[in-house]
Amino acid sequence: MGKTVTRGFAVAAVSLSLAACSTTTKEMDTQPQKVGKAALCRSYVQSQDEGLRYKIHVELARRAVDPASCFQMVQQQNQAAAALVAVAVVGGAVAYCANHDCGGGGGYRPYRGNCQYDWQYDAAGNRCGRRSAWSRPGGY
C-alpha cells in the first residue's frame, strides 16, 4: 500500500502544480500584466471559456507572444512533468528493491567450495571431475 500512496501523492502533486500554472477570469480582469506567460499559455490552451481565451489572447498580443507558441510550451511542460513523475516512480522502486531484495537473480548464491564444476581443481590440486557439485544429482 505504501508504494501506491507514494505514487498517488506524486501524481497529485504534479497535477496540482500544473493546475496552479493557470489563470482565472478575475485575474485577467484585475491585473493581467501580473499573470505569468506560462499561466497565460496554459489557460489559453486548456480553457473552454471563450471570453477568458479572448482576454488571454489580447494580453499575449500586448506582450508580443504568438498564441500558437503556447501549445508547444504547454506540451513541453507536460512532458517535463511526466518525466519528473517517471523519475520519482523509478527512484521509489529502486529504493524499495534496495531495501527488500527484489532484484531477481532467481535465488543465486555463490558456491563456497573448491569443486563447483568438474573441470576445476580441489585444494590439493586434483581435478574435481565427478566429485564436483555440478556432476552430482541436484547440483550443489
Side-chain angles (χ1 to χ4, degrees):
M1 182 172 138
K3 288 192 309 186
T4 306
V5 171
T6 303
R7 285 183 193 161
F9 179 74
V11 170
V14 171
S15 297
L16 287 174
S17 68
L18 288 177
C21 294
S22 60
T23 188
T24 64
T25 304
K26 182 178 178 183
E27 289 174 314
M28 289 304 298
D29 287 341
T30 56
Q31 298 175 327
Q33 67 280 4
K34 290 191 176 183
V35 178
K37 179 182 172 184
L40 286 173
C41 281
R42 182 161 293 280
S43 296
Y44 183 76
V45 169
Q46 295 179 340
S47 179
Q48 301 297 317
D49 181 356
E50 288 301 319
L52 177 60
R53 282 178 56 94
Y54 177 75
K55 290 176 184 177
I56 293 171
H57 187 84
V58 169
E59 181 62 22
L60 289 171
R62 187 187 71 74
R63 297 182 189 188
V65 175
D66 181 15
S69 68
C70 286
F71 292 97
Q72 183 178 6
M73 178 190 292
V74 170
Q75 183 181 23
Q76 288 173 346
Q77 288 174 345
N78 291 346
Q79 289 171 345
L84 182 64
V85 169
V87 167
V89 169
V90 169
V94 167
Y96 178 85
C97 284
N99 293 322
H100 293 88
D101 193 28
C102 59
Y108 173 76
R109 63 183 194 275
Y111 185 73
R112 297 185 187 252
N114 291 325
C115 287
Q116 182 176 3
Y117 299 106
D118 58 355
W119 50 265
Q120 292 176 318
Y121 294 87
D122 64 13
N126 300 315
R127 193 170 170 102
C128 294
R130 292 202 171 273
R131 294 179 298 122
S132 71
W134 183 258
S135 299
R136 289 184 296 219
Y140 57 89

